[in-house]
Amino acid sequence: MLLTKYLLKKYSASTKTVDAGREVAKLSKRLFDFDCAKQVLSLNLIEKKVDVNKVEVATIIGDGYGFMSCLLLRSYPHLKIININLGRTLFFDTLAMQSNFPQHQTELLLKEPGSNSLSKITFIAAENYKLLEDIPCQLYINIASMQEMNNDVIRNYFSFIKNNPSEISYFYCCNRKEKRLPDGEVTKILEYPWEEFKVLHKEACPWYQKYPVGHPPFWKCFDGEILHFLAIREVNNKLPIRR
Ligand SMILES: C[S@@+](CC[C@H](N)C(=O)[O-])C[C@H]1O[C@@H](n2cnc3c(N)ncnc32)[C@H](O)[C@@H]1O
């Protein structure tokens, strides 16, 4: 817990987001730990470049236990949230979101929404990820999940993000610089199909290089370097970017 506090202080996490994160953790019946703190810091970074008040729909790819989805919705209650994950893990996302927001309408989307309006919280099983292409969305977030996907799945996600009907979409992507998957395939974040995106921010993610352990020296390196990107894909030049 001390190391989590240290991390939040070191990177000047906003009190408002930390409080929202603590509330999410409490309602999800989990500790507000290092994993939660990293997500708070990522949201703070996004807020430096993106006016989230102007975002209508945010999609979290591979949230895992619903924390970023809940953090976003608690911080920006006007948002509609799409949460997409592999079927079994999606179950944990739904649990967290339902215990945080029992009042909201939720839906498991199985086909294109067409002219129907999107529910406040929409879940999509990863095998239906093509549905993303038809839903206007202004902010996509992917933390440590593209690094679990093969190159063809990553390319498809990029294509769906690029083709979504919104004029402007931001993409926050935080993943291993290079990863060898169990089948031997290697993925590299710098070689993701960034064409058509303008990268607004790119660096080694400062809070995602080491994790806390209970014995000296108290921090251990992750298996490889993790980079984070904040990028925008724009159809016209109407950019609500913070400068
Ligand atoms: C290491 S966890 C990261 C969880 C969380 N985003 C975090 O930062 O702690 C990886 C997540 O990616 C999800 N994932 C893997 N393949 C996926 C896919 N094709 N589409 C969506 N999510 C996927 C996994 O189910 C898991 O929830």
Side-chain angles (χ1 to χ4, degrees):
M1 293 307 278
L2 274 178
L3 295 173
T4 300
K5 278 193 183 155
Y6 163 81
L7 192 78
L8 291 167
K9 192 158 178 228
K10 181 170 179 192
Y11 296 108
S12 313
S14 94
T15 311
K16 181 175 162 272
T17 322
V18 173
D19 289 348
R22 288 192 191 286
E23 183 66 10
V24 170
K26 193 172 113 194
L27 292 170
S28 310
K29 297 188 172 45
R30 58 166 294 164
L31 275 179
F32 181 78
D33 59 6
F34 172 72
D35 284 336
C36 304
K38 284 190 286 147
Q39 314 247 357
V40 163
L41 292 169
S42 289
L43 178 55
N44 281 173
L45 180 105
I46 293 168
E47 287 168 321
K48 286 192 183 133
K49 295 279 179 193
V50 182
D51 185 349
V52 186
N53 290 304
K54 293 190 178 147
V55 170
E56 290 169 16
V57 178
T59 298
I60 322 302
I61 302 168
D63 202 356
Y65 46 92
F67 190 83
M68 180 55 96
S69 305
C70 292
L71 180 65
L72 262 178
L73 194 49
R74 193 150 293 284
S75 306
Y76 297 94
H78 73 281
L79 285 175
K80 288 188 173 179
I81 300 285
I82 300 175
N83 180 310
I84 177 160
N85 210 324
L86 300 175
R88 278 188 199 173
T89 325
L90 195 58
F91 172 72
F92 295 102
D93 288 314
T94 61
L95 274 187
M97 294 203 77
Q98 278 167 2
S99 46
N100 272 267
F101 304 102
Q103 73 278 27
H104 285 324
Q105 186 196 358
T106 60
E107 183 183 5
L108 176 67
L109 198 68
L110 297 172
K111 59 181 177 54
E112 295 84 4
S115 56
N116 298 331
S117 69
L118 211 56
S119 298
K120 185 74 176 164
I121 299 171
T122 300
F123 297 102
I124 299 180
E127 66 260 29
N128 293 327
Y129 65 153
K130 194 176 183 329
L131 293 175
L132 291 180
E133 193 171 36
D134 296 308
I135 307 172
C137 172
Q138 298 77 40
L139 175 63
Y140 297 84
I141 298 179
N142 177 284
I143 302 177
S145 49
M146 277 192 166
Q147 65 191 38
E148 294 195 351
M149 302 175 198
N150 288 93
N151 284 306
D152 58 344
V153 177
I154 295 171
R155 264 193 301 277
N156 287 339
Y157 268 113
F158 267 78
S159 156
F160 303 150
I161 295 172
K162 285 176 190 175
N163 291 332
N164 93 85
S166 180
E167 284 189 349
I168 293 167
S169 301
Y170 295 92
F171 183 24
Y172 177 75
C173 179
C174 177
N175 284 285
R176 281 271 292 276
K177 186 174 180 189
E178 183 169 332
K179 176 106 185 260
R180 183 174 295 277
L181 300 174
D183 64 4
E185 185 174 336
V186 175
T187 65
K188 297 180 182 175
I189 192 169
L190 295 167
E191 294 177 9
Y192 290 1
W194 289 108
E195 318 79 53
E196 296 173 51
F197 280 97
K198 181 170 156 197
V199 176
L200 306 172
H201 185 94
K202 174 171 91 174
E203 62 172 349
C205 180
W207 48 85
Y208 214 145
Q209 302 304 322
K210 294 178 180 178
Y211 58 94
V213 288
H215 50 82
F218 299 111
W219 292 98
K220 213 170 165 198
C221 286
F222 282 104
D223 283 344
E225 193 178 12
I226 294 175
L227 308 188
H228 63 174
F229 283 59
L230 181 65
I232 182 169
R233 168 297 232 150
E234 47 181 315
V235 175
N236 292 324
N237 283 327
K238 300 175 193 161
L239 309 183
I241 306 174
R242 290 224 164 116
R243 301 198 189 272

